């Protein structure tokens, strides 16, 4: 009977030690989990900030592109006027050569 009681007490001590170890591990895992959640939130904030910066850059590029396209169209229209003028000069010189 005494042997069984000693064995049971030893088993209880061993289980209490294991329980204490598991409690420490649980506390460590909870702490690590909170740290990971905090890091994830910080990472998400950085991603959002980077996306906002990219959006602003994209909008700036679009605005500049529109301006460049307008300038290009205007330049093309000017070249068209010059081409029409050169055609007219060619006709004027033909008329002058045929005239009095």
């Amino acid at each position: 009977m005494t042997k069984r009681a000693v064995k049971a007490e030893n088993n209880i001590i061993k289980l209490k030690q294991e329980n204490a170890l598991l409690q420490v591990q649980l506390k460590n895992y909870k702490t690590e989990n909170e740290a990971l959640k905090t890091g994830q939130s910080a990472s998400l904030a950085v991603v959002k900030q980077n996306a906002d910066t990219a959006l602003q850059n994209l909008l700036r590029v679009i605005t500049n592109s529109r301006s460049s396209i307008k300038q290009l169209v205007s330049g093309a229209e000017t070249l068209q006027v010059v081409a029409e003028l050169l055609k007219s000069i060619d006709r004027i010189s033909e008329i002058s050569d045929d005239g009095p």
Side-chain angles (χ1 to χ4, degrees):
M1 197 69 138
T2 307
K3 254 185 183 180
R4 275 183 47 189
V6 169
K7 189 174 180 181
E9 284 181 26
N10 287 338
N11 200 13
I12 288 172
I13 291 170
K14 182 179 173 185
L15 289 173
K16 283 183 178 180
Q17 288 173 344
E18 187 177 340
N19 186 25
L21 179 65
L22 290 173
Q23 291 294 329
V24 169
Q25 284 180 338
L26 177 62
K27 183 180 175 184
N28 289 339
Y29 289 147
K30 284 182 178 179
T31 303
E32 182 181 2
N33 191 23
E34 286 301 316
L36 289 172
K37 284 181 182 177
T38 301
Q40 184 179 15
S41 295
S43 294
L44 187 58
V46 169
V47 168
K48 185 180 180 321
Q49 183 180 4
N50 288 345
D52 288 343
T53 301
L55 174 63
Q56 294 304 317
N57 288 339
L58 185 58
L59 292 173
R60 194 174 307 114
V61 165
I62 290 169
T63 300
N64 292 340
S65 296
R66 285 183 176 150
S67 176
S68 296
I69 289 170
K70 286 178 184 176
Q71 290 174 356
L72 184 61
V73 169
S74 175
E77 289 171 351
T78 302
L79 289 175
Q80 184 65 39
V81 169
V82 170
E84 293 298 324
L85 195 80
L86 289 174
K87 285 181 189 176
S88 297
I89 289 174
D90 195 35
R91 286 188 210 132
I92 292 170
S93 86
E94 287 177 8
I95 293 173
S96 295
D97 289 343
D98 292 340

